[in-house]
Each structure stands twice: as structure tokens, then as C-alpha cells.
Amino acid sequence: MLAVHSGRPVHREQLMAALWPESSARTAGHGLQTAVSALRTVLEPGQDRGRSRVLVRSGEAYTLDLVPGGSCDVQHFEAATAEGLAEAARGRGDRAAEALTRALRLYTGELLPEDGPAEWVVPLRERCRDQAVRAAHTLAEVELARGRAGEAVAAAGHALSLDPFRDAVWRLLIEAHRRAGDPEAARQAERRHARVLAALR
């Protein structure tokens, strides 16, 4: 949880509510102290208490500060997505495609799948997935506008692999197949889209 929010403070009550939701405040507080102590031992072995530079406490919040050369893939993904969307909105197709492609390389699957349906991670996981779908959808639009129908097909297919219930992406995929000169693939995409719509009824 601290790594996902690296560089930003997370209040102790937020940590306690997320990680010990069924426990009393006292039990959750003890659990948090134990977890923080263990984490500091792993991150900075031998460091005296109160001198931690990686896991820093400020008031009632904890921050995981990245060491020089450290990075957070979630933050890189979000930054690349934001950059790509902004460049697309400005009509800068080349820059948008580069940033959005970079973002989709960083999105390698569901966020923290090992945590299952934990309440604290589900909203973050869904947000990242939605951002990836939007990045792929926008990349498909950019590539089609640049006359790169094959790349548009791949990007739209990527978006639909993450969320098959996006009508606009299906329409874009069908159009991209047509512009790529593959009417049969366009018809197959239309049939798959129809099956998805039928499943929603």
C-alpha cells in the first residue's frame, strides 16, 4: 500500500482501516506498529529507530520515500498515460502515440493480484485498468488518424482484452479493420460485438 502511494503520505488510520478492517483500533494500531517495525528492518537493516530515510513517519502519516535510483511502476504508468492523453488532446499524434505506447508497456496486468479482493486495492486496481483501457482506446484513435490502421487494430484489441464492454472501442476496431483492407475481420469483429451486447441483455 505504501509502495503504490510512494512519495505520498498515507495516514495511519487509512492503513489500519485497510489492513485490519475487522479489528479494534487498539489491535489495528498494534498491528500497524509491528508491521512498520518489520518493514523498516527489511528496508533499512541496522538503522536506529527515528532515523529511517525510506519509511518516514510525519505526524500521523507514513511515507515510503524512494531511494535515489528507485522507481514506482504505478506512478510511471499514470504519468505516461496522462502525458499521452494530453498530447492527443493537443493533436500531437507522434508524441501521444509514444507516451501511450510506453504506458501500455508499463501496464503488465492487474494491480497486486496476490491481494485478491482486498477492499483497499480494488479501487486502485480498477482505476489502473480504466486508465489502461483509455490509453489503448486513445492510442487506437491516434493511430487511425495517422493512417496506421494495423496499429489501430492492435491498440483497440488491447483495450477490449481489458474491458470487452466498450461500444466505442468495438466501433473503432471495426473501422480500423475496414481501413486496413480486411472486411472479413471487420465482419468477425461485428459478430463478436453483437455477442457481447447480447450477453448484457
Side-chain angles (χ1 to χ4, degrees):
M1 189 169 183
L2 291 172
V4 169
H5 295 92
S6 60
R8 300 189 294 264
V10 182
H11 198 279
R12 67 189 304 273
E13 289 187 3
Q14 185 181 350
L15 291 165
M16 289 160 57
L19 303 176
W20 295 274
E22 305 299 326
S23 301
S24 67
R26 181 176 180 178
T27 301
H30 179 71
L32 178 61
Q33 288 179 341
T34 302
V36 166
S37 176
L39 187 54
R40 281 186 171 137
T41 299
V42 171
L43 295 174
E44 297 179 281
Q47 186 70 271
D48 293 337
R49 184 176 180 179
R51 299 172 64 93
S52 176
R53 295 180 181 177
V54 178
L55 181 53
V56 180
R57 180 168 180 173
S58 177
E60 295 296 298
Y62 292 92
T63 303
L64 187 66
D65 278 344
L66 295 175
V67 297
S71 65
C72 174
D73 55 354
V74 174
Q75 290 179 10
H76 288 315
F77 162 71
E78 291 180 337
T81 299
E83 178 188 347
L85 295 176
E87 295 291 3
R90 296 186 188 105
R92 299 173 179 168
D94 291 348
R95 293 182 181 182
E98 191 278 329
L100 293 169
T101 299
R102 187 169 71 250
L104 292 172
R105 280 199 301 266
L106 288 165
Y107 186 81
T108 57
E110 296 281 272
L111 178 67
L112 300 174
E114 64 275 11
D115 284 298
E119 288 185 15
W120 73 269
V121 77
V122 169
L124 294 172
R125 185 181 294 150
E126 291 177 350
R127 186 186 76 195
C128 286
R129 185 192 309 120
D130 286 344
Q131 287 179 322
V133 172
R134 189 176 176 197
H137 183 184
T138 304
L139 178 59
E141 291 176 327
V142 166
E143 296 291 35
L144 199 59
R146 297 165 78 202
R148 294 159 55 94
E151 287 76 2
V153 165
H158 190 166
L160 291 170
S161 73
L162 299 172
D163 184 353
F165 302 106
R166 304 279 180 130
D167 280 346
V169 183
W170 279 108
R171 291 192 294 270
L172 184 60
L173 175 63
I174 292 163
E175 179 61 20
H177 277 307
R178 287 175 178 152
R179 292 203 202 175
D182 195 343
E184 177 55 31
R187 286 191 290 271
Q188 290 178 6
E190 286 176 332
R191 289 193 288 269
R192 294 201 308 273
H193 184 205
R195 288 196 293 270
V196 169
L197 292 175
L200 295 173
R201 297 191 182 105

